[in-house]
Amino acid sequence: MFTNLEHLGLAVQDLEAATALYTTLLGAAPYKREAVESEGVDTVFFQVGGSKIELLGGTTPDSAITKFVAKKGEGIHHVAFEVDDIRAEMQRLRAAGFVLLNEEPKRGADNKLVCFVHPKSAHGVLVELCQSIKE
């Protein structure tokens, strides 16, 4: 079950400049910075009420974020929803005809298991499913 809008992911070319801009815009410093080496991305998270903004900066020329910015420019990269049971949601979405970019959930930033729904299945929007990892 989808429980809430977890975050908006924003692809940026210069993560430090974007972090400074959003710190000023939101009037608050980020609460977390994290590298996701498997994806070639550095992330910065801001809390905004009950949701978050995730800034994404590519760290390698072949990372998905670097390619996204080169092709489409900076802007909204994905919308992420918190789910209770990511595997059940993946199964439900596959059965409904959605194309998933991951066969199994993988570890993402901010202590989450994640899976992405292909934009072609969601009217051009990359959708991320997130489930908090309980340790």
Side-chain angles (χ1 to χ4, degrees), residues 37-129:
E37 292 180 19
S38 63
E39 301 300 316
V41 66
D42 284 340
T43 65
V44 173
F45 283 90
F46 291 88
Q47 188 72 44
V48 183
S51 297
K52 302 170 194 163
I53 300 291
E54 176 188 28
L55 302 181
L56 302 145
T59 59
T60 63
D62 61 336
S63 80
I65 297 301
T66 302
K67 290 177 182 178
F68 178 92
V69 170
K71 183 177 180 181
K72 296 186 177 188
E74 295 180 297
I76 295 176
H77 179 260
H78 66 270
V79 59
F81 295 95
E82 183 79 25
V83 296
D84 288 331
D85 182 339
I86 196 166
R87 286 179 175 81
E89 285 302 316
M90 290 171 70
Q91 182 178 15
R92 181 183 73 80
L93 293 173
R94 275 193 201 101
F98 289 89
V99 175
L100 304 182
L101 296 177
N102 311 96
E103 287 299 316
E104 289 292 322
K106 59 184 178 176
R107 189 174 193 92
D110 206 24
N111 198 38
K112 305 285 184 191
L113 287 176
V114 301
C115 172
F116 287 90
V117 177
H118 197 291
K120 290 180 182 176
S121 294
H123 294 279
V125 177
L126 180 62
V127 175
E128 180 182 13
L129 308 179

